[in-house]
Amino acid sequence: MPGVGVTGDWRQMPNQNVWLLRLRLELLNTAPTAELPQFTDWELVADFDRDPIGHVQLNPALAGEVVTATFDHQMFNGGNHPTWECRAGQICTGSWSGTLADSRNAIAHEPSNLLHRLQWHVSRAIDWLQEAATAKLMAVGDFFELPDFNTGPKGAQAFLAYYEDENSFAEWQTRPEQSGFAELVRWSNGIRLVRRFKDLTGRQTIYEIPWGYGVDAISKFQDTALWVRLKDVPTVRQRQVPTTWAELEEALQEQGLDLMTLVSPLWAPRHDPTGHIFVLFGMPIPRRVGELVSRYHWHLLWLSPEIKAGKAEIRRQTLKNRLKAELPVRWAVKVENWHPDELQNRGRLSSELCKSSIILIGAGALGSAIAEQLVRMGVQDLTIVDDELLEGGNLVRHTLTLPSILAHKVVELAKQLNLSNPLARVTGIAAKAPSHRQDFVAAAERATLVIDATADDAVLRSLPLPGLASTVPVASCSLSLYAEDLFFYANQAGAFDWSDFTTWFAPFRHEQNRRVEQDGLVMPRGAGCWHPLTPAPLNRIQGLAGIAVELVHGPLKSWTARG
């Protein structure tokens, strides 16, 4: 291939089914730069542990003409690979549609034949070099990509979740504060969520994140972090994040900022530097390359290990010693924006439905499946009403589990759902609907949608519910005997006519009764006086619950009566 020289033999990495081949690649038709000379040495990797037919990638070599800078579309290149004889900075030679192709949702551009695959990746590496040398790896209109913060120091395993969008960014621009202290909610597995930002006194709240009830329940476990707003993403040597305090100081100096001045509040007399010490750097970023910055990315820097109790001056001096120029900077390995636009950008319901205040009556098999789908797909304000306890026989098709036996379904379901979406505010009302309880009436007064999943005629006969506006849509969802059919009927609460519903449903009711008599359905529950149970299986219930969600997914304001 033009521009490619093979300078060694294939060699296998010890105790791995991974093979490396040394290549010397030439920068074709492009002038060399300080970071990219005319010839550079690379390792072509064929990894059969990751893919039986060989996962292929290219990393800079350890010796020869070595690429030490980190560019766009390249993993962190500031050190060596932990187990292979090459540097860590894998370049992106794959196809943009590779992940979709792996799941059979797109055409695979990467060849399946190993020899052709090797040639394909090397050819793309030649193109990558040309674009890196001419600063064309990221074009205007491309989605903006952060540099790789996984720099590798042991112990930096913290995971951070924050919440930012264009609206919060606009709010930040009205604030004069450039730094302060933030409360971090500490979850399991090293996860920390940013709860609120305060000023440097720690008394005035500047911005509070609207987390749901699940996060509220763990708010007593907190850490404190210094937050600092930067002017840009701090990088050195093209697009490499700083790995030492000296590099971080260099990167901030390019923004006209002084590192020690920024972090000095950590050892101010009013601050007590004990325990885990964190710094949150806020970096303004655009949605796409070439666009104006539109949100903050917050990245966690961890001054590990923990500072133990002792005299205040000793603790402050210990903290300053952690910032010596040659010591490593420990970035959190994983940081995510948990705003719905980011966290739920796969399979999210319409914005109109997500913002709805929904009452779901019935927490049985169908109701629990509908509730789980709604909350996981973005609904935040959900009130579930049911007065039944969970029984052992419910487990065959309910979303709850053994620990909830003999507890109210709605109470347990609300707990579970609040932990499935960090923004969810699900409330369970253990009562039979309709109810004149204050909490039920309050939920009805703010409701914009009611879903009845009880299959109980008494609920529909009682419409409109206490406190419910006459214009609120009400959808009735029920299943046939074997869950072969979903019966769906909807209208506005004030126009929901019981006689019209019964007329519409009469043929289906008679057909269900005929099936019961024909099948001689006898399904006793325990000894003594038995009563028959519906045999609907879970797989069908879940599928029809999805159809019910699809039916309420439309424009709510345009609903008319329909079956």
Side-chain angles (χ1 to χ4, degrees):
M1 297 174 61
V4 181
V6 178
T7 60
D9 294 324
W10 284 101
R11 61 193 191 279
Q12 186 176 10
M13 295 297 96
N15 304 314
Q16 301 177 72
N17 198 8
V18 178
W19 297 74
L20 272 61
L21 180 67
R22 178 72 61 86
L23 301 180
R24 172 158 289 190
L25 303 183
E26 183 180 0
L27 191 59
L28 299 176
N29 307 316
T30 305
T33 68
E35 293 85 6
L36 288 175
Q38 189 72 35
F39 295 93
T40 52
D41 290 297
W42 298 80
E43 296 290 354
L44 177 61
V45 182
D47 184 350
F48 297 96
D49 287 331
R50 183 170 174 180
D51 186 336
I53 63 172
H55 170 81
V56 178
Q57 65 185 63
L58 284 98
N59 290 48
L62 291 177
E65 293 289 347
V66 179
V67 176
T68 59
T70 302
F71 294 84
D72 290 313
H73 292 310
Q74 183 178 19
M75 305 300 287
F76 169 71
N77 190 35
N80 296 347
H81 191 278
T83 59
W84 300 344
E85 295 173 357
C86 59
R87 294 182 67 86
Q90 174 190 349
I91 62 174
C92 181
T93 56
S95 167
W96 70 270
S97 62
T99 302
L100 294 176
D102 289 343
S103 58
R104 303 176 184 169
N105 290 311
I107 299 297
H109 297 289
E110 182 176 357
S112 57
N113 175 277
L114 178 58
L115 177 59
H116 294 161
R117 178 175 286 192
L118 294 169
Q119 293 172 322
W120 187 80
H121 278 274
V122 172
S123 175
R124 291 172 66 86
I126 294 291
D127 295 338
W128 183 93
L129 285 170
Q130 291 178 309
E131 293 182 357
T134 54
K136 294 180 181 179
L137 284 169
M138 296 293 289
V140 172
D142 289 348
F143 283 105
F144 178 81
E145 293 182 4
L146 286 162
D148 182 16
F149 280 86
N150 191 3
T151 58
K154 293 182 179 179
Q157 297 302 314
F159 177 108
L160 179 75
Y162 65 94
Y163 180 103
E164 294 283 356
D165 65 355
E166 291 87 349
N167 294 328
S168 64
F169 184 77
E171 184 178 338
W172 274 113
Q173 303 317 300
T174 67
R175 305 294 309 191
E177 297 88 354
Q178 295 301 310
S179 63
F181 288 98
E183 293 179 3
L184 307 181
V185 177
R186 191 192 319 160
W187 223 326
S188 59
N189 302 323
I191 300 173
R192 287 170 172 83
L193 287 75
V194 183
R195 181 171 183 79
R196 59 176 61 90
F197 293 85
K198 295 186 174 184
D199 64 6
L200 282 173
T201 69
R203 292 190 291 268
Q204 181 184 358
T205 297
I206 295 173
Y207 171 46
E208 183 165 0
I209 295 178
W211 296 122
Y213 293 151
V215 176
D216 288 344
I218 58 168
S219 59
K220 61 181 179 180
F221 303 108
Q222 291 185 350
D223 292 306
T224 299
L226 174 72
W227 63 265
V228 178
R229 286 199 283 166
L230 303 181
K231 300 177 181 179
D232 200 354
V233 179
T235 57
V236 294
R237 292 191 296 281
Q238 295 289 335
R239 289 283 285 171
Q240 180 181 304
V241 299
T243 59
T244 65
W245 287 101
E247 289 182 349
L248 181 57
E249 187 172 24
E250 174 191 340
L252 295 182
Q253 284 176 348
E254 292 183 3
Q255 301 183 32
L257 303 173
D258 180 72
L259 173 63
M260 299 305 287
T261 301
L262 291 176
V263 300
S264 62
L266 284 172
W267 52 77
R270 63 174 173 265
H271 182 65
D272 185 16
T274 57
H276 293 289
I277 310 298
F278 300 100
V279 180
L280 277 175
F281 283 118
M283 310 166 190
I285 61 173
R287 172 69 71 175
R288 292 176 181 269
V289 176
E291 295 179 352
L292 295 175
V293 293
S294 59
R295 68 192 62 216
Y296 275 111
H297 167 77
W298 293 95
H299 214 99
L300 186 71
L301 188 149
W302 187 8
L303 278 69
S304 180
E306 184 177 4
I307 294 180
K308 303 297 183 182
K311 291 184 178 181
E313 281 306 313
I314 295 177
R315 294 197 303 269
R316 293 188 178 99
Q317 188 58 48
T318 300
L319 178 58
K320 292 180 181 180
N321 290 338
R322 301 276 174 84
L323 278 65
K324 288 184 177 178
E326 69 278 6
L327 292 180
V329 170
R330 301 178 183 273
W331 300 102
V333 171
K334 192 172 182 63
V335 174
E336 290 185 348
N337 183 358
W338 278 10
H339 188 280
D341 290 346
E342 302 287 341
L343 190 65
Q344 299 164 353
N345 61 359
R346 294 181 293 175
R348 192 182 181 202
L349 295 168
S350 67
S351 175
E352 184 179 16
L353 188 55
C354 288
K355 294 177 181 178
S356 296
S357 179
I358 301 176
I359 293 179
L360 173 64
I361 304 174
L366 179 60
S368 65
I370 291 175
E372 181 160 16
Q373 293 183 30
L374 288 173
V375 173
R376 288 187 181 276
M377 296 168 73
V379 170
Q380 298 175 22
D381 185 357
L382 176 65
T383 301
I384 312 173
V385 186
D386 195 305
D387 65 340
E388 292 187 350
L389 305 180
L390 185 74
E391 299 181 3
N394 297 142
L395 297 178
V396 71
R397 57 190 190 184
H398 205 280
T399 60
L400 293 176
T401 57
L402 280 170
S404 299
I405 294 292
L406 297 184
H408 281 286
K409 293 178 180 177
V410 288
V411 174
E412 297 298 299
L413 193 55
K415 291 179 184 177
Q416 178 174 286
L417 293 174
N418 283 323
L419 293 176
S420 68
N421 178 346
L423 304 173
R425 295 182 174 269
V426 182
T427 302
I429 298 179
K432 189 173 181 60
S435 172
H436 289 278
R437 283 177 39 161
Q438 185 177 356
D439 50 359
F440 179 89
V441 175
E445 288 176 345
R446 72 171 190 275
T448 56
L449 171 65
V450 175
I451 302 174
D452 169 37
T454 63
D456 185 350
D457 291 343
V459 175
L460 299 184
R461 280 198 299 264
S462 65
L463 289 174
L465 302 173
L468 189 67
S470 61
T471 56
V472 173
V474 177
S476 171
C477 305
S478 57
L479 302 176
S480 62
L481 189 64
Y482 295 99
E484 296 169 328
D485 305 285
L486 169 72
F487 303 119
F488 185 94
Y489 189 94
N491 205 345
Q492 292 182 336
F496 206 110
D497 189 287
W498 166 248
S499 60
D500 287 345
F501 171 79
T502 54
T503 299
W504 170 80
F505 190 63
F508 305 115
R509 194 189 302 269
H510 286 295
E511 171 60 20
Q512 295 304 294
N513 187 73
R514 185 191 65 80
R515 291 287 300 273
V516 171
E517 294 177 345
Q518 173 182 300
D519 296 351
L521 191 65
V522 178
M523 300 182 66
R525 178 184 296 176
C529 184
W530 61 269
H531 58 277
L533 304 175
T534 174
L538 174 63
N539 61 324
R540 294 178 183 175
I541 293 172
Q542 291 279 5
L544 292 177
I547 294 176
V549 171
E550 190 73 22
L551 290 171
V552 300
H553 195 187
L556 304 183
K557 294 180 181 178
S558 65
W559 274 19
T560 56
R562 55 181 176 173

